[in-house]
Amino acid sequence: MATTMFFLLLLASLATSNARYNKLPKSDINLLEFPLNLEYFEAEFFLFGALGWGLDYIQPNLTGGGPPPIGARRANLSPLIRDIIAQFGYQEVGHLRAIKSTVLGFPRPLLNLRKEAFANVMNSAFGRPLYPLFDPYANDINYLLACYVIPYVGLTGYVGANPLLQSFTAKKLVAGLLGVESGQDAVIRTLLYERATEWVIPYDITVAEFTIGISELRNRLGHAGRRDEGLIVPSYLGAEGMTSGNILSANASSLSYARTPAEILRIVYQTGSEHRPGGFYPRGANGTIARNYLKSQKDFE
């Protein structure tokens, strides 16, 4: 009797979920599901960095049975930075739940969070191998620079998706997600801006120079012009052309830059192609949009 009741309740829950899901336009569903790829990344990187464990411990039901991340570990952080990153991690858990409560979503993709994956980004940003290998988990500055690598990309994705959404439900959700993602990016940039002129030990490169290199790399990989700026810019690119300090990345009207899903995939794959996975997503991202790009490449081959 108890077993029968359990299955009846489960079926009722699934029916309710499917009914809510089916009310959304297909394009909205795809645009809401795609950011899960970035939200999974951020949740795992923040949670592991601050706590030493991720979604499989904190909220295993949100993983969808997807494979655990590779190489993620607890970072060597000061109490303040650890506290901030832990808050970010728990916020990302909420984001995953909010999205998957609105659309069906998909399992967590395989994420490569090894230090080598981040080191490859830094090497590409400067066009040469850094020695010793950049380790995102080594200290506060390294970890904050690693945080600079991906979360902002997700923010620009929400900005790009917003005008394409049709339903009130989707627009409301993206507005809420974008608000918190923007706040996280502002905190990360502010913490780095405080240290802009400091040397990143043992490299002969400052914090600001790292951010400039990473931003320029993302612009190159995205193949869509300027969508990204480091912490220091030529004054003509600063707010109203009046400042070289660039604590927030924005266009000439101080509005957030936007990116398409294709541009985002080119960056997070580190291949410059939405059809060729790699980098942080060795098997590619999940969801209809990402898988269609991979399928089209296979069809072409």
Side-chain angles (χ1 to χ4, degrees):
M1 182 67 179
T3 303
T4 303
M5 183 60 69
F6 170 79
F7 281 110
L8 288 173
L9 290 171
L10 179 61
L11 288 171
S13 174
L14 289 173
T16 302
S17 176
N18 286 334
R20 181 172 62 247
Y21 173 85
N22 290 331
K23 288 180 181 178
L24 295 176
K26 182 63 176 174
S27 59
D28 279 11
I29 292 169
N30 292 340
L31 287 169
L32 289 179
E33 287 188 333
F34 179 78
L36 283 170
N37 290 294
L38 284 299
E39 299 288 359
Y40 277 125
F41 178 101
E42 293 170 27
E44 297 291 10
F45 186 60
F46 291 150
L47 289 172
F48 268 100
L51 308 173
W53 52 75
L55 286 171
D56 288 304
Y57 180 85
I58 299 292
Q59 203 70 248
N61 61 304
L62 291 177
T63 70
I70 303 168
R73 62 183 178 85
R74 191 172 191 264
N76 182 27
L77 303 176
S78 64
L80 173 63
I81 302 302
R82 190 175 305 283
D83 176 44
I84 291 170
I85 298 303
Q87 292 180 49
F88 286 0
Y90 286 120
Q91 288 165 6
E92 296 304 329
V93 173
H95 289 182
L96 288 168
R97 186 185 303 108
I99 296 173
K100 298 187 83 168
S101 296
T102 306
V103 295
L104 292 179
F106 47 73
R108 173 183 56 196
L110 180 66
L111 298 167
N112 178 10
L113 302 182
R114 294 187 182 102
K115 68 178 183 180
E116 288 83 2
F118 290 92
N120 287 339
V121 172
M122 304 309 180
N123 291 346
S124 297
F126 293 102
R128 59 183 172 87
L130 298 185
Y131 183 82
L133 200 69
F134 181 87
D135 182 355
Y137 303 105
N139 53 55
D140 283 357
I141 288 182
N142 283 27
Y143 190 83
L144 289 170
L145 286 170
C147 289
Y148 186 92
V149 169
I150 291 298
Y152 172 74
V153 177
L155 182 163
T156 58
Y158 284 129
V159 176
N162 188 54
L164 304 178
L165 297 170
Q166 301 176 45
S167 66
F168 171 80
T169 298
K171 291 176 181 178
K172 180 181 178 182
L173 176 59
V174 166
L177 292 165
L178 181 56
V180 174
E181 292 289 333
S182 299
Q184 291 178 353
D185 180 63
V187 170
I188 291 167
R189 290 182 72 101
T190 299
L191 290 168
L192 289 170
Y193 193 75
E194 263 190 315
R195 301 159 169 81
T197 59
E198 292 182 20
W199 298 103
V200 181
I201 298 171
Y203 314 108
D204 190 25
I205 305 170
T206 65
V207 168
E209 288 168 338
F210 261 93
T211 66
I212 293 166
I214 294 165
S215 288
E216 290 179 349
L217 172 65
R218 291 190 296 215
N219 285 332
R220 292 196 301 272
L221 290 173
H223 301 305
R226 181 179 292 110
R227 296 287 187 273
D228 220 307
E229 296 167 346
L231 293 176
I232 304 294
V233 294
S235 58
Y236 71 87
L237 289 177
E240 296 302 298
M242 297 298 292
T243 174
S244 60
N246 198 43
I247 199 162
L248 297 179
S249 180
N251 67 15
S253 298
S254 290
L255 301 177
S256 292
Y257 289 110
R259 282 192 173 101
T260 65
E263 291 166 30
I264 289 170
L265 292 172
R266 293 169 198 157
I267 294 166
V268 300
Y269 288 171
Q270 298 176 36
T271 63
S273 170
E274 63 271 35
H275 304 290
R276 191 154 49 94
F280 298 109
Y281 297 81
R283 295 179 188 167
N286 282 343
T288 300
I289 293 174
R291 300 320 287 186
N292 279 346
Y293 283 123
L294 296 180
K295 181 177 181 296
S296 63
Q297 174 68 7
K298 289 179 181 176
D299 291 344
F300 178 77
E301 291 172 350

